[in-house]
């Protein structure tokens, strides 16, 4: 069967058509043109698949077999889809995933690439082209091509006794070696049993990178980082690349991105980062979902209608005194918290359009922003200095006077934005340090596991947040 016919059949979404589909086949054939698999394009496909480690896809099989045209076309489209949209489908991996995704016409693209004879160029252009993706690729290839020697030291034992600065401990030579491997210490660092100042400084930097308290004390958490294998790091980086492939290549230039895993918000305006701040997100039992959902209005002095789940779990056993002390009343069978400084939404709510009752908001629980692990809510996103952020958005959108008047009412008042601001709630466990190098961070929800498994990796070690710290707020 000729390649043009194979492509035509795939373009028509069929394998053997009825008479009523003949027009569709003819049209598809015409679009596909006379392109066929040549020795050149066959070689380009084989080379691209051989080099798939550059995308962290080397644990997934892509078998072109003997190279018949139907198999070549099938595998080319499958590999192209992995590069263009991801090898996995997040809507099947997660109960909720609504972040916009790319949707290129791969069948038409393949037809064009075969016709031009440049399959390599087409495939190379499908994956993300940004600097972060390229750095992840380079880091993954380094791990894949330079595995740790077989005679590497055994895992560092956790004796239950933390190592404090100035102490001596027989585990320190192994710890120092691991810090050298992670590039926190130079290759000529001295190995010894003394916890000297240069090693303390290296540990503090590592703790800061991994979201720990940078006190220099080597306890169980620090040892968990130091014991992370190359396989664990490689897996995390491959997962990070996969998540980037899920995302549209040209996101809105003005948007708000929230990294749920890092509990941090980034505000983009006209293609530039203009603000970044801490947030509180859902704890592991009430995870913040991965959503694409715009802010369409600001709400000054919001009320909060307590969801049934929170009402039954956290408030049902409390008496009328609790409701009065927290400015809560019964209204139409629901508990409603009135506006004011004790309101769980704080003094501003950033209303978003989605079916999951997820939004950004203020909070009276300011001390939570001082925590390292900020997975502490029932699913909504609490913003550090939310009033300051609302002021920023109101100025940028030209509604600052309306916003000030709304705040002064002391009552729940809505200020519609002249244009909606897209928000993406993402989950990324690999961040970049000041030098732009990838750093594997915590996986607080354990969400890397299902992606890593789907990409063909063995189960790894995840550094997760602990549950049970959420307060009554959303």
């Amino acid at each position: 069967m000729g390649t043009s016919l194979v492509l035509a059949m795939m373009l028509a979404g069929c394998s053997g058509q009825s008479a009523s589909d003949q027009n569709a086949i003819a049209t598809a054939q015409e679009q596909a043109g006379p392109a066929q698999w040549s020795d050149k394009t066959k070689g380009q496909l084989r080379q691209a698949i051989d080099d798939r480690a550059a995308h962290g896809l080397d644990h997934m099989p892509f078998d072109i077999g003997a190279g018949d045209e139907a198999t070549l076309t099938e595998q080319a489209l499958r590999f192209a889809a992995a590069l263009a949209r991801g090898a996995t489908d997040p809507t099947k991996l997660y109960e909720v995933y609504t972040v916009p995704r790319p949707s290129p016409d791969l069948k038409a693209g393949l037809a064009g690439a075969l016709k031009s004879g440049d399959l390599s160029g087409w495939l190379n252009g499908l994956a993300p082209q940004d600097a972060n993706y390229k750095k992840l690729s380079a880091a993954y290839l380094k791990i894949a091509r330079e595995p740790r020697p077989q005679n590497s030291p055994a895992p560092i034992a956790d004796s239950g006794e933390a190592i404090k600065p100035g102490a001596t401990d027989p585990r320190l030579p192994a710890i120092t070696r691991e810090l050298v491997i992670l590039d926190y210490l130079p290759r000529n660092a001295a190995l010894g049993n003394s916890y000297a100042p240069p090693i303390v400084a290296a540990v503090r930097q590592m703790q800061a990178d991994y979201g720990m308290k940078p006190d220099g004390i080597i306890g169980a958490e620090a040892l968990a980082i130091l014991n992370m294998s190359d396989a664990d790091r490689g897996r995390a980086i491959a997962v990070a690349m996969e998540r980037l492939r899920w995302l549209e290549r040209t996101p809105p230039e003005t948007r708000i991105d929230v990294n749920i895993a890092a509990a941090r918000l980034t505000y983009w305006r006209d293609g530039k980062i203009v603000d970044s701040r801490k947030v509180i997100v859902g704890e592991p039992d009430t995870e913040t979902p991965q959503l694409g959902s715009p802010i369409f209005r600001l709400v000054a002095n919001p009320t909060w209608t307590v969801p049934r789940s929170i009402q039954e779990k956290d408030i049902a056993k409390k008496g009328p005194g609790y409701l009065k002390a927290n400015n809560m009343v019964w209204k139409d069978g629901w508990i409603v918290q009135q506006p004011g400084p004790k309101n769980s939404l704080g003094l501003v709510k950033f209303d978003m359009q989605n079916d999951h009752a997820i939004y950004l908001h203020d909070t009276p629980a300011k001390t939570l922003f001082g925590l390292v692990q900020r997975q502490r809510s029932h699913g909504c996103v609490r913003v550090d200095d939310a009033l300051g952020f609302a002021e920023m958005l109101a100025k940028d959108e030209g509604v600052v006077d309306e916003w000030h008047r709304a705040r002064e009412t002391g009552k729940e008042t809505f200020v519609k934005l002249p244009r909606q601001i897209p928000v993406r709630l993402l989950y990324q466990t690999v961040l970049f340090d000041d030098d732009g190098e990838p750093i594997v961070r915590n996986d607080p929800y354990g969400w890397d596991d299902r992606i890593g498994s789907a990409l063909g990796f063995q189960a790894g070690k995840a550094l997760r947040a602990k549950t049970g710290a959420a307060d009554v707020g959303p």
Side-chain angles (χ1 to χ4, degrees), residues 142-186:
K142 182 177 180 181
I143 291 173
R145 293 172 179 172
E146 302 175 16
R148 199 170 296 197
Q150 293 294 323
N151 60 352
S152 293
I156 304 163
D158 180 8
S159 65
E161 183 177 345
I163 306 173
K164 298 181 179 180
T168 58
D169 193 286
R171 295 172 289 176
L172 280 163
I175 289 171
T176 304
R177 277 192 292 267
E178 290 298 319
L179 290 168
V180 170
I181 290 171
L182 291 173
D183 291 329
Y184 286 103
L185 285 173

Side-chain angles (χ1 to χ4, degrees), residues 234-445:
R235 171 179 169 272
I237 292 171
V239 167
M241 283 192 281
E242 175 73 353
R243 285 198 171 103
L244 291 182
R245 291 191 292 266
W246 291 346
L247 301 179
E248 55 189 349
R249 301 298 185 259
T250 54
E253 291 195 329
T254 295
R255 68 184 187 276
I256 295 168
D257 286 342
V258 175
N259 185 342
I260 302 167
R264 194 156 195 95
L265 174 154
T266 303
Y267 174 35
W268 294 77
R269 190 82 188 180
D270 299 325
K272 297 180 180 179
I273 296 176
V274 295
D275 187 68
S276 179
R277 60 186 64 212
K278 296 176 181 179
V279 294
I280 307 295
V281 296
E283 66 172 349
D285 287 339
T286 55
E287 297 97 338
T288 298
Q290 298 167 92
L291 296 180
S293 174
I295 294 173
F296 69 96
R297 67 183 179 187
L298 304 177
V299 185
N301 313 305
T303 61
W304 179 43
T305 300
V306 181
R308 295 291 190 202
S309 58
I310 298 178
Q311 179 179 313
E312 294 170 1
K313 179 181 178 181
D314 299 308
I315 302 179
K317 298 179 181 180
K318 301 181 186 294
Y322 176 87
L323 298 184
K324 183 177 180 180
N326 288 278
N327 202 18
M328 292 178 172
V329 297
W330 283 97
K331 185 176 181 180
D332 299 327
W334 293 84
I335 295 177
V336 178
Q337 191 174 37
Q338 301 302 300
K342 291 185 179 180
N343 189 284
S344 292
L345 302 185
L347 297 176
V348 57
K349 174 184 177 183
F350 305 83
D351 241 344
M352 296 165 61
Q353 291 182 335
N354 59 74
D355 297 328
H356 307 281
I358 296 295
Y359 44 84
L360 277 60
H361 65 92
D362 187 17
T363 177
K366 309 296 186 186
T367 56
L368 293 180
F369 293 107
L371 300 177
V372 173
Q373 294 290 350
R374 295 189 296 280
Q375 287 74 28
R376 307 282 176 170
S377 80
H378 281 94
C380 285
V381 179
R382 310 175 191 182
V383 181
D384 192 15
D385 184 21
L387 283 176
F389 190 55
E391 183 82 4
M392 182 183 301
L393 296 185
K395 286 181 179 179
D396 289 346
E397 294 299 318
V399 293
V400 69
D401 291 337
E402 295 94 320
W403 172 244
H404 289 168
R405 287 195 294 270
R407 285 204 60 203
E408 290 168 359
T409 66
K411 301 178 181 179
E412 184 172 62
T413 308
F414 304 98
V415 178
K416 185 177 180 181
L417 298 179
R419 62 171 180 170
Q420 297 181 353
I421 302 177
V423 178
R424 302 189 303 177
L425 305 182
L426 309 171
Y427 190 90
Q428 186 60 278
T429 59
V430 179
L431 304 182
F432 294 87
D433 62 18
D434 292 338
D435 296 324
E437 295 303 313
I439 298 294
V440 180
R441 298 288 291 265
N442 290 11
D443 177 14
Y445 294 167

Side-chain angles (χ1 to χ4, degrees), residues 65-138:
D68 63 279
E69 294 200 339
T71 301
L72 288 167
T73 299
E74 177 187 359
Q75 293 301 307
L77 288 172
R78 179 169 168 258
F79 186 59
L83 297 178
R85 287 173 52 82
T88 59
D89 184 348
T91 65
K92 295 179 180 178
L93 290 174
Y94 300 100
E95 183 177 350
V96 177
Y97 190 95
T98 66
V99 181
R101 300 180 64 201
S103 56
D105 188 341
L106 297 178
K107 295 168 185 175
L110 176 58
L114 292 178
K115 192 171 183 178
S116 69
D118 187 15
L119 188 70
S120 296
W122 175 63
L123 290 172
N124 289 337
L126 293 176
Q129 303 297 306
D130 60 279
N132 283 351
Y133 188 87
K134 293 177 180 178
K135 289 173 183 175
L136 290 171
S137 175

